[in-house]
Amino acid sequence: MAEALAWAAADPLGQESDPGTGGFAQILLARQERGSRVTVTGFLVDVYCLGVKNVTDPEVMGSGSLTTYVPMYYSAFDHRPLPIGVEQAQTIVHDAVAYARGLGFEPADGFADAAVHLGAPPGDRPVIGRDGKPFYLSGPYDNPRKVVQILERTCGPDDYDYVAHP
């Protein structure tokens, strides 16, 4: 990920030699509403290929509830979440969506509603992917055959890599 976003350098999974690690960001965004209320929404992002794979619908909660929500949101991960700024979150999400759309993949259902809370993408757009090309790592709810067919059509036979789990 030589040309990847700055956050990738701090991603311990991306530093491992296993090709099935790294390339994913789970972003939780909390925006202050009026008083002690916050709107919370989340994005599971595959920056190597598919873009936004999952979206947590925007939810309004008391700011005190956010303290218990954050650990629950990241409970599937062994590593602590890294704090990032709103602009960095915007860059990761919007760039992954733009990259994936260029490959023929649309973001997960609910993205448009959640993206309103994320805000507009910042200016300069870095190149994403893995080693300069798409890298697809199949997930438990993916259709690997369909994804590879789309990559074959949009990228050509040798311009992407993938690992499909049975």
Side-chain angles (χ1 to χ4, degrees):
M1 289 187 63
E3 298 180 28
L5 306 169
W7 64 271
D11 178 9
L13 295 179
Q15 304 301 318
E16 297 175 6
S17 60
D18 180 0
T21 63
F24 287 92
Q26 185 161 337
I27 295 175
L28 179 65
L29 179 72
R31 287 218 180 245
Q32 183 73 43
E33 298 294 331
R34 59 185 188 276
S36 63
R37 309 294 286 171
V38 294
T39 299
V40 178
T41 189
F43 307 86
L44 176 60
V45 185
D46 171 3
V47 299
Y48 287 158
C49 186
L50 298 179
V52 174
K53 292 186 62 150
N54 195 6
V55 175
T56 303
D57 292 332
E59 179 181 346
V60 178
M61 63 179 66
S63 56
S65 298
L66 184 61
T67 305
T68 56
Y69 184 81
V70 171
M72 182 186 72
Y73 182 76
Y74 290 105
S75 64
F77 295 91
D78 294 332
H79 302 282
R80 294 173 35 101
L82 302 173
I84 61 173
V86 172
E87 283 189 2
Q88 197 170 16
Q90 291 168 334
T91 299
I92 292 168
V93 173
H94 288 300
D95 286 357
V97 168
Y99 185 71
R101 281 184 170 149
L103 297 173
F105 303 105
E106 287 298 315
D109 291 340
F111 173 73
D113 291 336
V116 169
H117 298 281
L118 183 62
D124 294 337
R125 310 304 295 256
V127 174
I128 56 179
R130 181 174 174 163
D131 298 327
K133 59 185 177 179
F135 174 77
Y136 168 61
L137 174 65
S138 70
Y141 306 108
D142 293 345
N143 180 338
R145 180 168 285 138
K146 181 179 178 183
V147 171
V148 170
Q149 287 172 346
I150 292 171
L151 288 170
E152 187 80 15
R153 185 177 68 246
T154 59
C155 300
D158 296 320
D159 289 331
Y160 66 91
D161 294 312
Y162 72 96
V163 174
H165 299 288

